[in-house]
C-alpha cells in the first residue's frame, strides 16, 4: 500500500523491456471513492526493416544451431543413395518427413520420394533454395558445379554462409567444393562425405572431411547425427578420403567376392547353392559383429578359432599360401591410388 501511494505521489511510469506500467484515469469504486487500477500494457518495439529472404535465412541459421529435427533437408539428386539416406534419416527420427525435399528431373524418382511422404520437385526453385538448411549434393560429379552455381544465383553468395552443403559426389575434393562456392563471408560451410552402398540397408561405413568454416560452426555434429542413423561415420582429413575409398568405399565389392568364393567352395563340397550362400553371408555378418562388439583385434579372434592341428588352421594355411592377406592390402592401396588419379582429372 505504501509503495502504491509512493507511485501515485511521484506520477511513476515504468517500462520493462517491451512492457510498461501505466496508470489509467481515475474511476469510481463501489464505495463512491476513487482509485487507480494498475495494468500492464504491451508496447512492443518496432521491428527493424528486414527482407523476406533475410528473415528466412535467419530462421535457417537458428534451425542449424539446434538439433537435426526441424531442419529443412534438400537432396539435389534423387537416386538410390539419396533415397536410402532420406528414408534412414526419417526412420531413425533425426529428420521429419515433412522437412525432406528431393529435386530431380526424373518424374519416376520424384514419385518415389512422394510415395515416402516427402516433397519432390523437378528443379531447385528460389523458395526451396531459401528455406533449405542442409543441401545434400547427390548428383554425378560433372553436375556438382551446376548445383552450386544455381544456389549462388538464387540466394547470392552473401547468404550462402547460412547453408550447409554436404557432398556425396565421388571424386570432388573439399578444395574443389570450396572453390565452387567462392568467396563466401566467413568461408563456405561444406562437408565432403564418402559413404558406401550398404547405406541402402542402413549399414553404411562413411567418412567426412570439413571446411574450416564447417569446423568452426561444429557442422560435424549435424552430419554425424544424420549419418549415424544409417550406419557409422568418422571425421578425417580430406587428404585421407581416398584411403577411405580403398577400405570402405570399394570394400563391399571385396567382401561380396569373399562370400561368393566361400559359397562356391561350399557347393564344391556338396552343399546346395542357396544353403552355401546363406551360410557364407551369415558367417561374414557374424564375424564382423564379433569384431565390432568385442573390440578385440581380428587376429585374436582368428586365433580363438584355430585349434592346433584342426580344420581351421589347415584352411588358413591355404589362404596364406595363396597370398590372400597381401591381395587385400594391395586391393585397398590400388583403389586409393585410383581415387587420387580420378580427382585430378
Amino acid at each position: 500500500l505504501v509503495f502504491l501511494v509512493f507511485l501515485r505521489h511521484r506520477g511513476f511510469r515504468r517500462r520493462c523491456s517491451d512492457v510498461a506500467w501505466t496508470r489509467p484515469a481515475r474511476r469510481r469504486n463501489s464505495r463512491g471513492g476513487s482509485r487507480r487500477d494498475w495494468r500492464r500494457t504491451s508496447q512492443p518495439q518496432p521491428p527493424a526493416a528486414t527482407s523476406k529472404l533475410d528473415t528466412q535465412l535467419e530462421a535457417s541459421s537458428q534451425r542449424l544451431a539446434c538439433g537435426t529435427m526441424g531442419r529443412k533437408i534438400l537432396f539435389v539428386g534423387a537416386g538410390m543413395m539419396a533415397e536410402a539416406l532420406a528414408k534412414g534419416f526419417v526412420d531413425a527420427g533425426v529428420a521429419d518427413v515433412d522437412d525432406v525435399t528431393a529435386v530431380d528431373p526424373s518424374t519416376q524418382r520424384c514419385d518415389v520420394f512422394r510415395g515416402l511422404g516427402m516433397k519432390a520437385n523437378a528443379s531447385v526453385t528460389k523458395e526451396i533454395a531459401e528455406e533449405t538448411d542442409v543441401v545434400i549434393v547427390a548428383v554425378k560429379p560433372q553436375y556438382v558445379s551446376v548445383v552450386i552455381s544455381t544456389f549462388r544465383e538464387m540466394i547470392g553468395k552473401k547468404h550462402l554462409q547460412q547453408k550447409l552443403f554436404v557432398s556425396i559426389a565421388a571424386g570432388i575434393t573439399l578444395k574443389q567444393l570450396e572453390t565452387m562456392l567462392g568467396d563466401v563471408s566467413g568461408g563456405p560451410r561444406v562437408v565432403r562425405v564418402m559413404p558406401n552402398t550398404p547405406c541402402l540397408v542402413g549399414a553404411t561405413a562413411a567418412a567426412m572431411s570439413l571446411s574450416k568454416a564447417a569446423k568452426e560452426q561444429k557442422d560435424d555434429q549435424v552430419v554425424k547425427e544424420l549419418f549415424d542413423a544409417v550406419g557409422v561415420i568418422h571425421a578425417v582429413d580430406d587428404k585421407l578420403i581416398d584411403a577411405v575409398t580403398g577400405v570402405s568405399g570399394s570394400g563391399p565389392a571385396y567382401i561380396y567376392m569373399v562370400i561368393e568364393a566361400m559359397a562356391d567352395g561350399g557347393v564344391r563340397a556338396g552343399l546346395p547353392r542357396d544353403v552355401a550362400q546363406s551360410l557364407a553371408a551369415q558367417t561374414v555378418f557374424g564375424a564382423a559383429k564379433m569384431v565390432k562388439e568385442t573390440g578385440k583385434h581380428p587376429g585374436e579372434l582368428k586365433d580363438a578359432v584355430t585349434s592346433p592341428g584342426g580344420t581351421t588352421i589347415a584352411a588358413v594355411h591355404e589362404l596364406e599360401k595363396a597370398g590372400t592377406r597381401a591381395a587385400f592390402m594391395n586391393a585397398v592401396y590400388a583403389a586409393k591410388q585410383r581415387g587420387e588419379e580420378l580427382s585430378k582429372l
Side-chain angles (χ1 to χ4, degrees), residues 44-45 54 62 149 180 199-200 297:
Q45 295 294 316
D54 287 334
Q62 291 174 355
S149 64
M180 291 175 192
C199 166
L200 300 175
H297 190 281

Side-chain angles (χ1 to χ4, degrees), residues 40-343:
R40 287 190 300 177
T41 59
S42 178
Q43 296 181 356
Q45 295 294 316
T50 56
S51 68
K52 179 182 178 182
L53 176 57
D54 287 334
T55 301
Q56 289 174 328
L57 291 172
E58 177 62 25
S60 173
S61 180
Q62 291 174 355
R63 289 193 297 267
L64 277 172
C66 302
T68 53
M69 288 300 290
R71 287 196 182 93
K72 305 293 184 182
I73 300 174
L74 172 65
F75 286 90
V76 183
M80 295 294 291
M81 186 73 78
E83 177 189 346
L85 290 173
K87 190 172 184 300
F89 296 165
V90 172
D91 289 347
V94 297
D96 190 89
V97 68
D98 294 329
D99 294 330
V100 180
T101 303
V103 168
D104 197 288
S106 169
T107 303
Q108 181 180 6
R109 294 308 303 168
C110 286
D111 287 343
V112 169
F113 273 77
R114 294 188 187 104
L116 295 172
M118 304 169 191
K119 296 183 283 291
N121 203 54
S123 61
V124 179
T125 65
K126 185 175 178 63
E127 181 181 2
I128 292 174
E130 291 174 354
E131 293 181 349
T132 297
D133 301 315
V134 182
V135 182
I136 299 181
V137 183
V139 297
K140 292 181 179 179
Q142 60 266 35
Y143 300 126
V144 173
S145 61
V146 177
V147 171
I148 292 179
S149 64
T150 298
F151 274 84
R152 286 176 61 88
E153 293 170 5
M154 286 188 173
I155 64 175
K157 67 179 184 179
K158 173 185 175 182
H159 300 295
L160 280 176
Q161 212 273 338
Q162 303 286 348
K163 310 295 182 183
L164 172 58
F165 287 84
V166 179
S167 171
I168 63 173
I172 305 297
T173 67
L174 192 63
K175 184 176 181 179
Q176 289 173 322
L177 292 167
E178 290 181 289
T179 301
M180 291 175 192
L181 284 164
D183 185 19
V184 177
S185 176
R189 297 168 60 191
V190 59
V191 179
R192 180 188 179 191
V193 174
M194 172 57 67
N196 63 5
T197 54
C199 166
L200 300 175
V201 291
T204 194
M208 62 177 164
S209 59
L210 295 86
S211 67
K212 181 180 178 181
K215 290 178 181 178
E216 292 173 350
Q217 294 293 327
K218 302 187 186 306
D219 288 327
D220 58 322
Q221 297 177 8
V222 176
V223 178
K224 181 173 175 57
E225 186 172 357
L226 289 172
F227 279 82
D228 275 349
V230 290
V232 297
I233 187 168
H234 298 277
V236 301
D237 289 337
D238 195 55
K239 64 183 180 181
L240 295 176
I241 287 291
D242 290 317
V244 171
T245 299
V247 175
S248 58
S250 301
Y254 320 152
I255 305 306
Y256 298 147
M257 292 178 69
V258 169
I259 294 173
E260 182 185 29
M262 289 176 64
D264 286 345
V267 171
R268 185 173 185 272
L271 289 174
R273 169 67 63 181
D274 59 336
V275 173
Q277 182 167 306
S278 175
L279 290 173
Q282 183 65 24
T283 297
V284 170
F285 172 78
K289 192 171 183 180
M290 286 282 288
V291 172
K292 285 177 62 66
E293 294 188 1
T294 66
K296 294 181 178 179
H297 190 281
E300 182 181 355
L301 293 171
K302 178 206 69 179
D303 290 346
V305 184
T306 53
S307 55
T311 59
T312 305
I313 193 61
V316 168
H317 185 209
E318 292 298 321
L319 291 173
E320 294 289 8
K321 286 196 297 183
T324 303
R325 189 192 304 268
F328 275 107
M329 293 172 65
N330 291 338
V332 169
Y333 195 71
K336 178 256 186 185
Q337 287 184 306
R338 183 55 179 161
E340 291 176 341
E341 294 171 0
L342 291 174
S343 66

